[in-house]
Each structure stands twice: as C-alpha cells, then as structure tokens.
Amino acid sequence: MTNQHPTPPPELVQQWMDDLYGEPGQFVSSDDKALAARAARWGYEQHEKELLDAMHAVVPQPYEPDETSAVLKRQALAALHAIAVGANDMREQHQDLDTIRKALEQLDD
C-alpha cells in the first residue's frame, strides 16, 4: 500500500489541464501541480482506508489494531512520502512533519 506514488506524473497533470481548459499545451502552474498532488494524495488515502477496512473485516477482533493508531500511521506514511517526493510547500511540510512526530510519539518505548 505504501509503495504507491501519491503524486501524479507531469504528463497526467498536463492532460488534466488540457481537458480542463479545452486547449492542448496549457501552462501548468505550480498551483495546478499542488492541487493535482493533493487530489492524488486524497484518493490514495481513501483507497488505503478501503483496503484497511477490508482487511479488518477478515481479521479476528482481538488482533484488530487501534483505529486511531492505524489512521495516524497511514497519515504519517503519506506525509513522509509527500516530503520525500517534494509534493508540498513549506507550510504543508511542517504539517507533515508534525503528523510524523505524533505517530512516532504513539510508539512504545
């Protein structure tokens, strides 16, 4: 699940902008790229949640992880990936680092 790339390739973003504006070769701004990355990340997180929910349906109750921890773990992994690929601006990077810090604080010493 975590090996997927939450940032769409530039060619796909270009295709989306061409479709949106109705003209091929439209300029793709950094805002367009950031919006596409956020949309892809949201879709990735939704897909990951669906997979986790499906796994929980077949795993016996005693072994089911705490939902809060599972959500925090997914968010931290997505945040780490976004930082690694440079998909965010500085403000979002600080939020991502805070999410990762919170997830690490949940770990047993």
Side-chain angles (χ1 to χ4, degrees):
M1 284 186 296
T2 59
N3 292 335
Q4 294 182 7
H5 199 287
T7 304
E11 302 81 23
L12 183 57
V13 176
Q14 182 67 56
Q15 180 184 347
W16 290 343
M17 293 301 106
D18 292 349
D19 292 346
L20 178 66
Y21 296 120
E23 294 181 32
Q26 285 291 317
F27 173 73
V28 178
S29 71
S30 60
D31 288 342
D32 294 331
K33 293 174 187 173
L35 182 60
R38 289 185 113 180
R41 185 173 171 185
W42 179 86
Y44 169 80
E45 289 171 354
Q46 297 307 305
H47 176 72
E48 191 173 48
K49 182 183 180 321
E50 289 174 7
L51 290 175
L52 188 61
D53 290 345
M55 289 187 317
H56 283 183
V58 297
V59 175
Q61 276 295 67
Y63 300 104
E64 190 170 309
D66 173 63
E67 184 63 25
T68 303
S69 297
V71 168
L72 191 54
K73 178 181 176 182
R74 287 195 313 269
Q75 290 173 343
L77 288 170
L80 181 62
H81 190 76
I83 290 169
V85 299
N88 294 335
D89 60 23
M90 287 303 285
R91 180 185 54 81
E92 290 171 321
Q93 281 188 358
H94 288 292
Q95 291 172 347
D96 287 339
L97 290 170
D98 189 53
T99 299
I100 294 167
R101 179 189 54 77
K102 288 177 184 174
L104 290 172
E105 287 173 350
Q106 293 291 319
L107 296 174
D108 292 333
D109 289 331

